[in-house]
Amino acid sequence: MNSIKIIPLEAKHKENVIEVIVAAFDGYPLMNLFFGDTYKRSTKALWQYIFDISPIQNSLLLGATVRDELQGVIFASPPKTEKTQDESAIADLEEKLVEEIGKEAAEFFDLYFKLKSDRQPSQPHFYVNALGVHPRNQRMGIGSALLEHIQMLSDRHPESNGVALDTETEQNVAYYQRLGYQVSSKSNFDYVKIWFMFRDQNRTVHDLPY
């Protein structure tokens, strides 16, 4: 396979990212719970929101390309900092998102993020909020390359103790375990089962791809 390149995502990538994400999470339990029949339209609104809010919240939005074509996306949060955020801008973006996806879906998101917050490790860490690879390009090492990049960032971060994530499919649990993650807790969110996982910091320093 051709070399996988990890790149920071910008506004010019937005449409390609939405294409990848819509395909990657089609039929995913949590997305069905949140959006139901409005999945494609609501997913587009959600990722437009993520693009706009990521720089404000100091989040990471990265893509994996092969031959300059976007194949996978990862959205992650670094350890919390004291960086001042534009609360007014955040409120405006959140209000726009609610208008796009509806109040019920927005309330589900609030409950879900509260659950995620309650289950996160107490020590500083990176959190993978979303990882998606287009189905036609899965099982080619793209998801692993994106995760490994976040793990490298965690290794280099002076305060991070590892990488945490959650998944809603048992098949993914085995996949993450092969990459060194362990189940830290389990929970039920409505009818969806969630596994929370954590990979301890290995403290190995790597050179970053960019």
Side-chain angles (χ1 to χ4, degrees), residues 3-210:
S3 178
I4 300 169
K5 183 179 180 181
I6 308 300
I7 63 169
L9 294 173
E10 304 170 1
K12 65 182 180 181
H13 301 112
K14 186 178 292 188
E15 291 304 317
N16 288 338
V17 168
I18 291 171
E19 177 187 353
V20 169
I21 290 297
V22 167
F25 286 100
D26 188 18
Y28 199 65
L30 203 60
M31 294 297 102
N32 287 339
L33 175 62
F34 287 153
F35 300 135
D37 293 338
T38 68
Y39 170 71
K40 288 186 178 180
R41 175 176 59 79
S42 297
T43 301
K44 181 176 181 178
L46 174 63
W47 279 83
Q48 287 175 337
Y49 165 81
I50 288 172
F51 259 97
D52 293 337
I53 205 167
S54 291
I56 301 174
Q57 294 187 329
N58 196 32
S59 297
L60 300 170
L61 191 55
L62 306 173
T65 65
V66 178
R67 289 180 296 185
D68 295 326
E69 291 188 12
L70 187 69
Q71 311 283 10
V73 176
I74 196 165
F75 171 48
S77 301
K80 292 182 179 179
T81 67
E82 299 301 322
K83 181 181 177 181
T84 302
Q85 298 183 357
D86 187 340
E87 299 297 338
S88 176
I90 292 174
D92 289 343
L93 290 172
E94 290 177 347
E95 181 178 353
K96 181 180 178 182
L97 179 63
V98 173
E99 291 177 357
E100 293 283 348
I101 68 175
K103 186 176 180 181
E104 183 178 1
E107 289 174 348
F108 267 124
F109 267 110
D110 287 342
L111 292 172
Y112 169 62
F113 283 117
K114 184 180 185 306
L115 177 61
K116 284 163 62 86
S117 179
D118 291 343
R119 296 301 181 99
Q120 289 190 30
S122 57
Q123 64 268 42
H125 61 279
F126 281 72
Y127 202 97
V128 177
N129 298 294
L131 169 63
V133 177
H134 198 290
R136 67 171 177 258
N137 299 309
Q138 291 177 358
R139 302 183 184 279
M140 299 171 67
I142 294 169
S144 299
L146 286 163
L147 273 176
E148 287 169 4
H149 187 82
I150 298 299
Q151 290 159 191
M152 287 190 289
L153 294 176
S154 177
D155 290 347
R156 292 174 63 93
H157 195 284
E159 298 179 6
S160 179
N161 289 277
V163 180
L165 52 80
D166 61 275
T167 184
E168 289 73 52
T169 65
E170 194 162 5
Q171 180 180 357
N172 285 349
V173 173
Y175 167 73
Y176 291 127
Q177 286 175 329
R178 290 195 295 271
L179 296 176
Y181 291 82
Q182 296 182 339
V183 176
S184 55
S185 66
K186 302 176 186 177
S187 183
N188 291 317
F189 185 72
D190 202 289
Y191 62 80
V192 177
K193 188 172 183 178
I194 303 177
W195 288 264
F196 293 91
M197 308 186 73
F198 185 66
R199 180 184 184 274
D200 286 334
Q201 182 67 278
N202 60 29
R203 294 300 178 188
T204 300
V205 177
H206 303 271
D207 291 328
L208 296 179
Y210 67 86

